[in-house]
Amino acid sequence: MEHAELEAPVADAGSIALFAEVHDAVLDQVAGLLQLSGEPLRAAMADLLDDLEQDFIAEERMLAALHCASAPGHIAEHGNLLARLAMAADAGTEVCHHALRALPAWFRNHLDHWDALLAHDLGHAGR
């Protein structure tokens, strides 16, 4: 699956570029998962979920350290995605592929809203 690389929004572009890079790396991983089915897909989904969880933990630590007002919603978004992907992984190849194909749009929305808020707070923390 080809995907367009995510671009950082114009506002806070310097602060948010790292989030876009991390999301792009995940989308590269997803492209490979779409070539799999059955047990190899389930195993690869477990790896993807672990990678996402580790990335989200790092973001959530930043949210906590900065006392971000957006933290509850941001963290809930992470939890919802992980839960949906875990359910999709258990539901079989077709459902899993459908969930994986929805990730670019999810990441675009997440970057534009939640990560932009975090980038804003990061930018202000350094001042």
Side-chain angles (χ1 to χ4, degrees):
M1 169 182 152
E2 291 292 318
H3 71 273
E5 288 196 12
L6 300 176
E7 296 176 17
V10 174
D12 298 313
S15 300
I16 203 165
L18 178 60
F19 296 116
E21 266 184 53
V22 170
H23 295 335
D24 281 340
V26 171
L27 293 176
D28 286 341
Q29 187 176 1
V30 166
L33 270 65
L34 287 169
Q35 307 306 310
L36 303 174
S37 62
E39 189 52 41
L41 177 59
R42 279 180 58 99
M45 282 296 292
D47 290 340
L48 175 67
L49 286 164
D50 184 56
D51 291 346
L52 283 172
E53 186 173 16
Q54 295 308 309
D55 290 341
F56 292 164
I57 286 170
E59 276 188 30
E60 291 166 12
R61 285 183 181 146
M62 282 188 267
L63 289 163
L66 295 169
H67 307 288
C68 295
S70 63
H74 197 150
I75 292 168
E77 284 289 308
H78 290 167
N80 289 338
L81 178 67
L82 292 172
R84 283 195 319 258
L85 289 176
M87 286 188 296
D90 290 336
T93 298
E94 187 176 327
V95 172
C96 190
H97 282 184
H98 179 74
L100 291 170
R101 283 191 290 276
L103 279 178
W106 186 91
F107 277 119
R108 166 51 63 203
N109 182 59
H110 189 76
L111 184 75
D112 287 347
H113 184 73
W114 297 107
D115 288 342
L117 291 171
L118 175 53
H120 178 267
D121 289 345
L122 279 168
H124 281 79
R127 294 180 186 168

